[in-house]
Amino acid sequence: MTAPHDPRTHGESPPAGVGHVTEDAPRDRTRDIEDAWRRERPDLDPASVRVVTRVWHLAALFSADRRRLLDARGLDSALLDLLGTLRRAGSPYALSTRELAERSRVTPAAISQRLTRAERRGWVTREPVGRRVVVHLTATGRGTIDDAAGAIFDRERDLLTALPEGDRETLAVLLERLVLDLERRGG
């Protein structure tokens, strides 16, 4: 099998909007991994690491940063998801436990655990309505999620400043396409 064509090593121009990579440009670890695989196994195409390894690395960096931000507010990702789901539902900021589970893509048992924790903090209340239980976001819960969302959006905007707005939009579109395709294929 012939080694795949690599525009980086053939002096070709990078795609529009992407800066040219020079030998003295800073290199991330991913480029070193790809280059090592090309050297050691020229019969393989390691080009996927350019995307997949970087996505994994970015996910770890973003996750650690968000965890620090949430810790400072007494939140974790599960409670953020619960409060955010209720807040995004719109006024009166109430959903059944079943709706919460479906929108959060977690089991009813996981929602029950989250609700117990949020109730103890005064962020939600549960109200039996017939055979359902409706969860209401309290004013305290709304203040908590509004503060957290504002801090998250401000921080993440700051984390993305290396990319001009147009590049961010392009990246968002490409990532959405990839997510939808992988979900469609059961990935």
Side-chain angles (χ1 to χ4, degrees):
M1 176 178 186
T2 306
H5 179 71
D6 181 3
R8 272 189 321 137
T9 59
H10 289 82
E12 296 176 14
S13 297
V18 177
H20 182 69
V21 177
T22 63
E23 285 302 315
D24 60 341
R27 293 173 56 97
D28 71 352
R29 184 171 178 264
T30 302
R31 288 182 57 201
D32 295 335
I33 292 169
E34 179 187 5
D35 290 347
W37 277 115
R38 286 190 189 287
R39 182 188 68 242
E40 296 299 318
R41 289 291 309 269
D43 57 313
L44 297 178
D45 179 6
S48 63
V49 301
R50 291 184 209 164
V51 174
V52 177
T53 299
R54 285 183 175 120
V55 168
W56 275 104
H57 188 197
L58 285 169
L61 293 170
F62 288 145
S63 179
D65 191 82
R66 182 175 285 190
R67 194 171 29 257
R68 285 189 296 273
L69 190 145
L70 293 177
D71 284 349
R73 287 163 174 74
L75 285 165
D76 59 32
S77 61
L79 289 174
L80 176 72
D81 182 52
L82 173 70
L83 298 178
T85 300
L86 286 166
R87 182 65 168 98
R88 291 188 309 270
S91 185
Y93 312 112
L95 293 169
S96 71
T97 52
R98 181 180 184 157
E99 290 170 317
L100 277 169
E102 288 171 0
R103 291 183 187 195
S104 297
R105 296 182 179 180
V106 297
T107 65
I111 286 296
S112 180
Q113 291 174 351
R114 292 175 184 188
L115 288 173
T116 298
R117 293 171 51 217
E119 247 180 340
R120 283 188 199 133
R121 296 176 185 193
W123 294 340
V124 300
T125 59
R126 295 186 232 201
E127 175 190 8
V129 178
R131 298 181 66 178
R132 302 179 326 144
V133 174
V134 176
V135 179
H136 298 271
L137 185 63
T138 66
T140 304
R142 185 174 170 190
T144 299
I145 190 59
D146 285 352
D147 171 67
I152 287 168
F153 299 147
D154 287 346
R155 178 63 181 149
E156 290 176 354
R157 183 176 47 253
D158 182 55
L159 292 175
L160 297 174
T161 57
L163 299 175
E165 184 62 38
D167 288 354
R168 281 183 254 166
E169 185 57 34
T170 298
L171 181 59
V173 169
L174 293 173
L175 290 172
E176 180 182 37
R177 183 186 315 160
L178 185 58
V179 166
L180 292 172
D181 180 63
L182 290 177
E183 287 178 345
R184 180 188 57 77
R185 293 192 287 161

